Amino acid sequence: MGRRKSAAEVFDALGERYEEVFGQVPGQIEALDWLAARLPAGARVLDVGSGTGRPTAETLVRAGCDVTGIDVSAAMVALARARVPGARFEQADVRTYTPPPGGFDAVCSFFPLLVMDQPEVAAAVDRMASWTAPGGYFVMATVPGDIRGLDIEWMGHEVTVSSLSTEDHLARLADRGLEVLHHHTATFRPADDGAVPEEHLFCYARRTP
């Protein structure tokens, strides 16, 4: 195998194909419906790893939210701006992003942390938790596991991935003042002939008002 690609390189190359394969994850749609039902009109929402803007930003804009999306991929940001003009998108890295004063009424994180080193994953979870305002919600999904520096081929690209176990995710959120309201795992089969089923962890949490 050759040089492993960064997340920006992978998603620049994938472009709209990512949405074709992962745009209808049932657990993600369910999480977005749950969140939208709890947010008032005008709620400030951050979509971390916003991709093409669909389904997350699009769903929350339709619910009347004020949505900001960040993504490391310039190609994804361009697609999102075209597809979801009612939201703001910027090229930014969760590891260095600076949120506005007061944070957000909700932070969404659907699978953006996997192409990182494990300590970076942990730090990113901590950072996102800190951006959730009092009374606000944090909704996330990932592929769980005590994984560090695993070399894989994913959607035709050689990448190195890391993650945290389900227990580590839950403990980090609780340690940072978020109440975990619900979590579950589900198996998802991507809409691609070369893909294998994935185990997804979904977690809904809230910061005490």
Side-chain angles (χ1 to χ4, degrees):
M1 298 177 75
R3 181 182 70 85
R4 272 60 180 178
K5 297 178 181 178
S6 69
E9 290 173 318
V10 170
F11 287 97
D12 279 346
L14 287 175
E16 61 186 9
R17 182 166 171 253
Y18 180 79
E19 183 182 328
E20 295 169 359
V21 176
F22 288 97
Q24 293 295 321
V25 178
Q28 183 173 351
I29 303 300
E30 179 182 350
L32 290 169
D33 289 343
W34 180 92
L35 180 62
R38 286 160 177 79
L39 294 176
R44 299 160 301 157
V45 182
L46 178 67
D47 179 12
V48 178
S50 46
T52 67
R54 300 194 300 212
T56 302
E58 182 178 65
T59 298
L60 295 171
V61 166
R62 286 178 176 171
C65 297
D66 179 9
V67 180
T68 299
I70 63 171
D71 201 289
V72 295
S73 165
M76 289 295 190
V77 169
L79 283 169
R81 287 172 176 167
R83 294 183 176 190
V84 192
R88 293 179 302 279
F89 298 94
E90 59 182 284
Q91 187 178 2
D93 191 316
V94 65
R95 294 169 288 190
T96 55
Y97 175 73
T98 300
F104 294 90
D105 300 307
V107 177
C108 297
S109 171
F110 292 104
F111 311 102
L113 308 183
L114 293 164
V115 188
M116 293 184 181
D117 195 10
Q118 194 176 54
E120 294 176 317
V121 175
V125 171
D126 294 351
R127 285 171 60 79
M128 293 187 295
S130 75
W131 302 338
T132 307
Y137 295 92
F138 178 62
V139 179
M140 65 159 290
T142 191
V143 177
D146 184 6
I147 301 163
R148 183 172 189 183
L150 177 65
D151 294 329
I152 65 170
E153 182 173 322
W154 180 76
M155 293 189 70
H157 296 272
E158 296 170 357
V159 296
T160 301
V161 298
S162 301
S163 189
L164 305 175
S165 68
T166 295
E167 294 74 20
D168 284 346
H169 278 102
L170 300 180
R172 296 199 81 85
L173 295 179
D175 287 347
R176 280 138 193 90
L178 298 183
E179 178 187 2
V180 177
L181 304 174
H182 168 77
H183 74 278
H184 72 276
T185 57
T187 300
F188 174 72
R189 181 178 290 278
D192 183 90
D193 290 341
V196 298
E198 299 178 351
E199 181 184 3
H200 291 170
L201 166 67
F202 296 90
C203 183
Y204 309 172
R206 190 184 190 200
R207 185 172 296 284
T208 303

